[in-house]
Amino acid sequence: MEQVKRQRNSSTEDSNDMKRKQVHSTRQPEASFDINLSTKSISYFEDLSNEIIYEIFEYFDFHYIYEKFSNLNQRFVNLIINSNYPIKINISSISKPNFQRYYTNIIIPYQQRIKSLRITNIFAADIILSSQDNILKLTRLETLILTNISSSYLRNLQYLTNLPKLSSLIIIYDGYTKIDQGEVYHQIFQLPFLKYFNVLWGMAFTDIVSSLPFTINKYSSIEHLVIKNGIQLDTLYVILSYVPQIRRLSISRLLEPEKRQNITFSITLNHLTYISLKLAPFDFHDFELLAKDLFHNLQVLHLYASHEITYLDANRWQNLILSHIPNLIIFDFQYFYFTAFEKDMMSNYENLIKKFTSSFWIERQWFFSTQYSFGHDAKDFLFFSVKPYKRSTFILDGIFEEKLNFDSVHHIEIGSIHAIDKYRNYFPNVTKLSFINYSVPTGNIIDNSLPCIISLDQLTEIVVDLVSIYFMDLVKLLSVAVNLHTVKLYDVSIDEINPITIQQNLIFQLASKTNVVKNLTLTYECRLKVIELLFALCPRLQHFELHYVITPFLPPLIRFILSKTNNNNRHLSSWSILQETIETEEILKMVIKNDQVLNDYKVEYFDNEVHVWW
């Protein structure tokens, strides 16, 4: 039970289902229907107990609570303002004037009550984190989430050592500036009360380059470590030497060691019971050495592997588990086979897979299935565990016959559009949808196929990567996925259709009126007339990000996006452009000054990206 509590407290992304059940069970008796009297007892929000109201407040940012409830009556003033109730601050897409009021009226006066602080606005981070006095007053801060900050802050994290309750830290830094990761880790390991650390340095494919030495006398209190970058095995061993109390370890891309012959790990991690690994091309022999070093007390193993055929050697797995992973309860295994690398090997792979049905696997209730791909080569396949199924992300790239329970999946990556038509399973809790491997949603897919596997109105985020989406297909998607707030696209095509004709389309008008998209990212060069259509389609945008703009096209683009007469940008308050030169910053400042399109604003160039905030 204690392990479950630790797991629940360690991650700020855990579900609040239990709280919902508590609120529901407490409130249900208050609103009942009396058959004899044929009357209905109605409960009002104000009638709820203070404890239940605080439970409900847990789901909201304090700014929202303050704005909606503090003026109701004296009771709510006492509950919200004249109390010691811990508060959560979430600063994301917010205009500069609104933030100034937020900062002055809420953050500064109530610093001592802040329990959780999430900052995704780079300018807000600069204002809040630049003052060490501000940081030192966050005496109740337990969770700090930084998802969009300058690399300069990563070089100066020692101010966090004075926070007496900081137990959870998430840093998502997606910039390109090179930093001394060893120094950053050194500072993180000095945080005296830290239990959970989740980190991404740069892009996901950026490998960790660490100057850290093995430690012999300086240790961290971290129990749950999540590294979302590539990391070599020998570097991982160095990092693990600092965290002897670790219980859960997740690595998004584990690489083969640079110095295989010199690798040793003398520390026994007695508390490590959970490991999740996604292996880059990684020799199975090295994996066996890793298991012998780290897996003594392991109970849960989530593993993704590919390429090397020895990962499908059931007998070798059986010997490894019996000899070095005797306490393993959950074996969640995924293996992806790419026929592009080998020819005429399908029969060999199928013969190997059959051996995973022996008594050893059945007795432990470790069962597997195969998903045959409809991708670039019909012989590609994914071999994976099906019971228990606990992964939050699933790659849909083919079909399989079994009817499975996918309640745990919240993110689907679709690698083949054709696979959707043949799919028999349903994913009831998906909120994020990604199209990968050059797949792209089309009208027929949106109308007929997608609703058969997911609930479109539950989606909050969609990603279309490396391929252009046809504009009217995007329109159709937004017309049915009415709760999307984040959209990331590679490119948008309108062919030769007249933009005026598009805006006269009834589906376009419906989608424009109903969609709630707040964040839009384009990762490829996009023409101005397409951006104009996107703004007309998504008039509630708060943040817009471009990854590439041709310099001559920049001035008219600036004038359109920042125009005071453009009604479709009235909610927009921030804009980012990914460029490798500060020339973009200079052009922005020049156009803003000459055309007077903004009054109160900030323009900064951070880590090869220009940010505008107003």
Side-chain angles (χ1 to χ4, degrees), residues 344-352:
D344 302 322
M345 289 290 291
M346 181 61 74
S347 59
N348 291 345
Y349 279 82
E350 290 177 342
N351 289 332
L352 288 171

Side-chain angles (χ1 to χ4, degrees), residues 384-403:
F384 64 99
S385 305
V386 296
K387 184 180 181 180
Y389 197 98
K390 295 297 182 183
R391 287 187 295 275
S392 61
T393 299
F394 182 77
I395 300 174
L396 175 55
D397 199 29
I399 62 169
F400 52 90
E401 297 301 323
E402 293 88 348
K403 196 75 172 173

Side-chain angles (χ1 to χ4, degrees), residues 305-319:
S306 61
H307 296 88
E308 180 149 350
I309 194 171
T310 48
Y311 283 98
L312 292 182
D313 189 333
N315 293 330
R316 195 165 172 178
W317 269 113
Q318 180 175 332
N319 293 332

Side-chain angles (χ1 to χ4, degrees), residues 354-580:
K354 291 177 182 177
K355 297 181 180 180
F356 282 89
T357 58
S358 68
S359 59
F360 171 83
W361 304 97
I362 295 174
E363 288 170 1
R364 289 162 175 76
Q365 296 190 19
W366 293 341
F367 304 112
F368 305 88
S369 183
T370 303
Q371 179 181 220
Y372 291 93
S373 176
F374 277 103
H376 300 295
D377 192 319
K379 294 182 180 179
D380 294 356
F381 70 83
L382 177 69
F383 177 69
F384 64 99
S385 305
V386 296
K387 184 180 181 180
Y389 197 98
K390 295 297 182 183
R391 287 187 295 275
S392 61
T393 299
F394 182 77
I395 300 174
L396 175 55
D397 199 29
I399 62 169
F400 52 90
E401 297 301 323
E402 293 88 348
K403 196 75 172 173
L404 303 176
N405 186 332
F406 287 114
D407 288 356
S408 66
V409 176
H410 293 273
H411 177 199
I412 290 184
E413 296 181 347
I414 296 180
S416 170
I417 292 296
H418 304 291
I420 305 176
D421 295 327
K422 303 291 184 180
Y423 220 67
R424 298 174 54 199
N425 286 269
Y426 191 76
F427 301 82
N429 298 312
V430 167
T431 58
K432 180 178 179 180
L433 183 62
S434 298
F435 292 87
I436 59 177
N437 296 339
Y438 303 97
S439 63
V440 61
T442 60
N444 183 59
I445 295 294
I446 298 167
D447 286 335
N448 301 320
S449 304
L450 275 178
C452 294
I453 64 170
I454 63 173
S455 174
L456 290 171
D457 59 4
Q458 287 186 176
L459 291 178
T460 60
E461 183 175 358
I462 187 167
V463 177
V464 181
D465 197 17
L466 297 179
V467 64
S468 176
I469 182 174
Y470 182 53
F471 186 84
M472 288 309 298
D473 288 333
L474 175 63
V475 170
K476 181 168 289 188
L477 185 60
L478 294 188
S479 70
V480 291
V482 293
N483 289 305
L484 279 176
H485 59 67
T486 299
V487 176
K488 184 175 181 179
L489 308 172
Y490 176 73
D491 191 17
V492 180
S493 171
I494 62 172
D495 291 338
E496 299 302 323
I497 299 178
N498 189 314
I500 297 177
T501 303
I502 291 177
Q503 295 186 63
Q504 292 173 345
N505 183 281
L506 293 179
I507 299 178
F508 177 96
Q509 295 177 7
L510 172 65
S512 178
K513 291 178 181 178
T514 58
N515 83 80
V516 293
V517 175
K518 297 180 180 179
N519 303 287
L520 175 64
T521 299
L522 297 173
T523 61
Y524 187 69
E525 175 194 353
C526 207
R527 292 173 293 171
L528 178 57
K529 67 177 182 179
V530 173
I531 294 177
E532 291 174 348
L533 278 174
L534 288 170
F535 271 61
L537 176 63
C538 306
R540 281 159 285 278
L541 277 184
Q542 296 178 5
H543 176 72
F544 181 46
E545 182 171 345
L546 282 173
H547 283 199
Y548 182 73
V549 181
I550 298 177
T551 301
F553 297 156
L554 190 55
L557 181 62
I558 297 171
R559 294 185 180 97
F560 166 74
I561 291 178
L562 303 182
S563 170
K564 295 179 181 179
T565 60
N566 179 9
N567 197 43
N568 292 327
N569 71 354
R570 61 189 182 277
H571 298 288
L572 196 69
S573 60
S574 59
W575 178 25
S576 301
I577 307 173
L578 186 63
Q579 296 285 84
E580 296 183 357

Side-chain angles (χ1 to χ4, degrees), residues 93-359:
S93 298
I94 185 172
S95 69
K96 189 172 181 292
N98 285 343
F99 172 78
Q100 293 293 350
R101 288 192 293 270
Y102 192 8
Y103 182 70
T104 302
N105 298 330
I106 296 179
I107 296 178
I108 293 299
Y110 304 116
Q111 288 177 99
Q112 294 86 348
R113 290 172 53 189
I114 297 177
K115 175 184 178 181
S116 173
L117 177 60
R118 180 188 183 103
I119 307 177
T120 63
N121 182 297
I122 195 167
F123 294 101
D126 183 54
I127 294 171
I128 296 174
L129 301 179
S130 61
S131 170
Q132 188 172 350
D133 291 338
N134 284 349
I135 298 299
L136 295 179
K137 291 178 181 177
L138 298 170
T139 54
R140 295 182 66 176
L141 186 66
E142 297 178 10
T143 300
L144 178 60
I145 305 172
L146 305 172
T147 60
N148 188 16
I149 61 174
S150 168
S151 60
S152 60
Y153 292 113
L154 300 180
R155 302 185 182 98
N156 189 30
L157 294 173
Q158 64 267 20
Y159 59 83
L160 299 179
T161 59
N162 295 312
L163 298 179
K165 292 191 175 183
L166 183 64
S167 60
S168 179
L169 177 62
I170 298 176
I171 298 177
I172 307 299
Y173 168 73
D174 58 1
Y176 286 97
T177 298
K178 293 182 179 180
I179 58 176
D180 185 346
Q181 298 169 6
E183 178 58 29
V184 175
Y185 272 106
H186 179 72
Q187 294 184 56
I188 296 298
F189 292 150
Q190 294 184 67
L191 302 182
F193 306 104
L194 195 64
K195 299 295 184 183
Y196 174 76
F197 182 45
N198 185 328
V199 62
L200 171 65
W201 308 121
M203 299 306 190
F205 54 79
T206 304
D207 298 340
I208 289 179
V209 180
S210 177
S211 58
L212 273 178
F214 272 96
T215 186
I216 56 173
N217 57 7
K218 294 182 180 180
Y219 303 110
S220 168
S221 58
I222 292 174
E223 296 180 359
H224 188 173
L225 177 62
V226 180
I227 299 176
K228 295 181 176 179
N229 293 96
I231 181 171
Q232 291 179 326
L233 181 59
D234 41 358
T235 303
L236 175 63
Y237 277 3
V238 172
I239 290 176
L240 291 177
S241 71
Y242 288 81
V243 288
Q245 301 301 315
I246 191 168
R247 299 176 182 275
R248 295 168 62 90
L249 173 66
S250 298
I251 306 294
S252 292
R253 195 164 63 97
L254 184 63
L255 307 170
E256 289 185 334
E258 182 178 6
K259 302 175 181 178
R260 182 177 295 124
Q261 69 277 12
N262 296 326
I263 247 183
T264 57
F265 193 74
S266 57
I267 301 174
T268 301
L269 301 177
N270 293 319
H271 306 286
L272 185 59
T273 60
Y274 174 102
I275 290 182
S276 177
L277 298 175
K278 187 171 183 178
L279 303 179
F282 198 92
D283 189 87
F284 191 70
H285 173 70
D286 286 328
F287 178 80
E288 289 176 315
L289 295 178
L290 172 67
K292 294 173 184 178
D293 285 335
L294 301 184
F295 293 6
H296 312 290
N297 298 309
L298 201 64
Q299 298 177 15
V300 179
L301 174 61
H302 298 280
L303 182 69
Y304 176 92
S306 61
H307 296 88
E308 180 149 350
I309 194 171
T310 48
Y311 283 98
L312 292 182
D313 189 333
N315 293 330
R316 195 165 172 178
W317 269 113
Q318 180 175 332
N319 293 332
L320 178 63
I321 292 170
L322 291 174
S323 300
H324 300 285
I325 326 177
N327 300 312
L328 192 62
I329 298 172
I330 295 177
F331 179 59
D332 180 13
F333 178 50
Q334 295 182 85
Y335 176 86
F336 201 91
Y337 165 55
F338 303 91
T339 57
F341 297 102
E342 301 176 56
K343 295 182 178 180
D344 302 322
M345 289 290 291
M346 181 61 74
S347 59
N348 291 345
Y349 279 82
E350 290 177 342
N351 289 332
L352 288 171
I353 286 172
K354 291 177 182 177
K355 297 181 180 180
F356 282 89
T357 58
S358 68
S359 59

